[in-house]
Amino acid sequence: EVQLVDSGGGLVQPGGSLRLSCAASGFTFSTYDMHWVRQVSGKGLEWVSGIGSGGDPYYPDSVKGRFTISRENAKNSLYLQMNSLRAGDTAVYYCARGVAVLGGSWYFTLWGRGTLVSVSS
Amino acid sequence: DIQMTQSPSSLSASVGDRVTITCRASQDISNFLAWFQQKPGKAPKSLIYAASTLQGGVPSKFSGSGSGTHFALTIRSLQPEDFATYYCQQYDSFPPTFGQGTKVEIK
């Protein structure tokens, strides 16, 4: 079955760290750009990082320097290392498979079910 | 960043109805627009890309239209499984950005 299973969320104190994981199956993981997208409860969606099939990372300014995306193709796995977490990072984090558009960015064709990250003291 | 604005934010409809959701971009994005569906507790599901191209396996009751700054998603003959929240997303520019969502509820 083609799917993404994200995990690793939990409760963390402000300033703390957390590492999210995403296990891919049913498709050739190594050939796809992969991403993390988050959703604050009751609010919209925000793209938080992406990594090309070749390993190049991409970040929006809101998380640059705090979040690190990585992948391990041999394990069909995607990761997000989140440091210096803030209350505003509280959200459900989704792993997503992306399709790149030349000169543009990506649209997302497959999503995980999400993992909840709560940043609170 | 390109701002995406959806309307309405929610709507009530009956089984069998046809509904249309609109999405407006803050600048010209050509046809680099995607739509997807989200149900509570479930993974979002991709419906449409390139403004009007259905993803594989998506029923033809869903259709997308528009280009430039104005787009629409139409759902023909609503069924119980279609009640969900729908989002648009632009991928013309970096970073990709999303609309705030339109919740389709049962009347």
Side-chain angles (χ1 to χ4, degrees):
Chain A
E1 181 183 2
V2 177
Q3 65 176 356
L4 298 170
V5 178
D6 16 43
S7 62
L11 176 63
V12 61
Q13 293 188 337
S17 298
L18 208 57
R19 189 194 196 207
L20 306 183
S21 299
C22 172
S25 59
F27 64 97
T28 309
F29 176 78
S30 62
T31 65
Y32 284 90
D33 296 356
M34 296 298 298
H35 303 264
W36 292 96
V37 177
R38 68 186 179 186
Q39 184 172 35
V40 175
S41 178
K43 300 287 181 63
L45 293 138
E46 179 187 14
W47 173 80
V48 293
S49 63
I51 186 166
S53 57
D56 291 336
Y58 303 89
Y59 306 98
D61 290 343
S62 58
V63 307
K64 196 175 292 184
R66 299 190 300 123
F67 289 9
T68 302
I69 190 172
S70 61
R71 64 191 300 160
E72 195 167 354
N73 290 338
K75 293 187 176 181
N76 291 333
S77 292
L78 177 73
Y79 307 102
L80 184 67
Q81 178 67 42
M82 303 185 294
N83 298 330
S84 302
L85 283 163
R86 310 164 178 166
D89 296 317
T90 295
V92 175
Y93 285 72
Y94 296 96
C95 168
R97 186 180 72 183
V99 175
V101 173
L102 190 63
S105 56
W106 306 268
Y107 64 93
F108 307 107
T109 58
L110 181 67
W111 299 70
R113 293 183 68 165
T115 185
L116 177 62
V117 172
S118 296
V119 184
S120 174
S121 55
Chain B
D1 298 359
I2 295 177
Q3 305 302 311
M4 306 300 293
T5 304
Q6 288 182 234
S7 62
S9 56
S10 66
L11 65 89
S12 295
S14 300
V15 172
D17 283 354
R18 169 182 161 136
V19 300
T20 296
I21 299 166
T22 63
C23 177
R24 188 178 78 247
S26 60
Q27 64 190 66
D28 189 338
I29 60 169
S30 184
N31 69 333
F32 294 120
L33 185 99
W35 290 96
F36 56 95
Q37 175 193 68
Q38 186 179 31
K39 297 179 181 179
K42 296 290 185 69
K45 177 185 176 182
S46 177
L47 298 175
I48 286 169
Y49 65 98
S52 61
T53 303
L54 290 181
Q55 289 282 358
V58 174
S60 60
K61 63 187 301 180
F62 292 94
S63 63
S65 62
S67 67
T69 60
H70 285 78
F71 302 86
L73 172 70
T74 298
I75 311 170
R76 177 171 46 85
S77 186
L78 268 176
Q79 297 302 305
E81 62 269 22
D82 302 326
F83 291 94
T85 300
Y86 294 85
Y87 294 90
C88 62
Q89 178 237 326
Q90 69 80 22
Y91 53 98
D92 175 73
S93 300
F94 180 91
T97 51
F98 299 83
Q100 81 280 14
T102 296
K103 187 174 184 179
V104 178
E105 300 174 297
I106 299 175
K107 185 182 288 184

